[in-house]
Amino acid sequence: MNIQLIKRGRQCILLICLIVMATWHTDVFAQQSGTTKAISGVVTDLEGEPLIGANVVVKNDPSTGTITDLDGNFTLQAPAQGILVVSYIGYQPQEIAIAGKTIFQISLSENANTLDDIYCSSRLWSDEKERCYKFRNNNQSGKYD
């Protein structure tokens, strides 16, 4: 008789725990889904030219992001209090607080340090050796190996 009471007590405790966990999970899910909103904007350089394929990602959540289209436009579902990280090759990355805004106009400035050297290599499918050209600051006085 004592063993049956213990088993019944354990089953009741387990049932109560499951109910509490299910209720807590639905509350957390409802809170998270209520904090995201649709945002959009355009990413350009300092001269107003659109940056095609710029990365727009929510900070600390790399799975929430997109890239800009041919006109530099993007749309994204993001947390209302999140931070956007906008980056593009050859430009300084920028962090922007969402803070209640829904439309963004983002201008990135060039990062001259990353564009000093450009290496172009080609490999022919014949028995010739691989060729490598180095261009420095668009001045074609590079090396040939």
Side-chain angles (χ1 to χ4, degrees):
M1 183 103 166
N2 241 352
I3 296 175
Q4 288 179 344
L5 285 175
I6 292 173
K7 284 184 181 181
R8 183 71 73 187
R10 285 183 182 170
Q11 289 173 348
C12 288
I13 290 172
L14 181 61
L15 182 62
I16 290 170
C17 287
L18 287 174
I19 292 171
V20 168
M21 288 174 60
T23 305
W24 177 78
H25 178 68
T26 55
D27 287 343
V28 169
F29 180 73
Q31 288 174 1
Q32 287 178 347
S33 64
T35 60
T36 61
K37 64 179 182 175
I39 61 171
S40 62
V42 63
V43 180
T44 62
D45 63 8
L46 293 178
E47 296 170 358
E49 293 294 319
L51 295 178
I52 302 166
N55 294 309
V56 182
V57 181
V58 175
K59 187 174 184 176
N60 298 328
D61 186 9
S63 65
T64 304
T66 189
I67 60 171
T68 57
D69 64 11
L70 293 174
D71 298 319
N73 298 317
F74 69 91
T75 57
L76 178 66
Q77 288 287 333
Q81 298 303 320
I83 296 175
L84 290 179
V85 178
V86 183
S87 61
Y88 191 71
I89 296 174
Y91 289 80
Q92 293 279 356
Q94 199 172 19
E95 292 187 4
I96 301 154
I98 297 171
K101 294 192 289 186
T102 56
I103 299 175
F104 295 86
Q105 174 70 36
I106 303 165
S107 295
L108 298 181
S109 59
E110 289 186 24
N111 185 358
N113 293 336
T114 60
L115 295 178
D116 279 346
D117 295 332
I118 299 173
Y119 292 91
C120 300
S121 67
S122 66
R123 184 163 183 98
L124 301 175
W125 293 105
S126 65
D127 291 335
E128 294 182 31
K129 70 177 194 173
E130 184 176 349
R131 296 181 179 154
C132 183
Y133 297 93
K134 178 181 177 183
F135 299 95
R136 187 174 283 279
N137 296 329
N138 291 332
N139 183 2
Q140 296 181 355
S141 60
K143 287 189 213 174
Y144 171 71
D145 293 328

